[in-house]
Amino acid sequence: MAKNTAKLRWRCRRGSLELDRLLMRYLEQSYPGASDPERLAFEALLALEDLVLARYLFGTQAVACPIQQGVIKKIAAFQNQ
């Protein structure tokens, strides 16, 4: 992950401090132990526009992919920390 970490950190920087924090917490705490499919799902989520990603994370829109749903739940759980 070390090689990819800087790039992923940069991609976690969004237009919203709240999104930044949630994504960075996931990257630091969950991503290192994630399976390959989960890592790919997270990276795909990072490619989304901020508004769409925020809707997923804050529960106003559902994501269709079950693996992405799992990642969204893990990221959203960091809201209470």
Side-chain angles (χ1 to χ4, degrees):
M1 182 175 117
K3 207 177 202 185
N4 207 15
T5 302
K7 191 174 196 175
L8 287 174
R9 283 184 184 283
W10 180 256
R11 290 179 65 200
C12 285
R13 295 186 60 179
R14 309 308 277 227
S16 157
L17 182 59
E18 189 168 7
L19 278 179
D20 290 0
R21 287 181 179 165
L22 290 173
L23 294 171
M24 287 302 297
R25 285 180 184 150
Y26 175 85
L27 180 64
E28 293 169 354
Q29 296 178 27
S30 297
Y31 187 87
S35 66
D36 287 342
E38 185 176 320
R39 286 179 179 205
L40 290 173
F42 176 68
E43 292 172 24
L45 289 170
L46 292 179
L48 297 174
E49 294 181 20
D50 290 353
L51 186 57
V52 174
L53 185 56
R55 287 178 183 155
Y56 289 158
L57 290 173
F58 304 122
T60 60
Q61 185 175 339
V63 63
C65 172
I67 297 171
Q68 285 183 336
Q69 280 180 338
V71 174
I72 291 290
K73 285 181 184 180
K74 288 182 181 182
I75 297 169
F78 290 115
Q79 290 182 58
N80 300 323
Q81 294 183 1

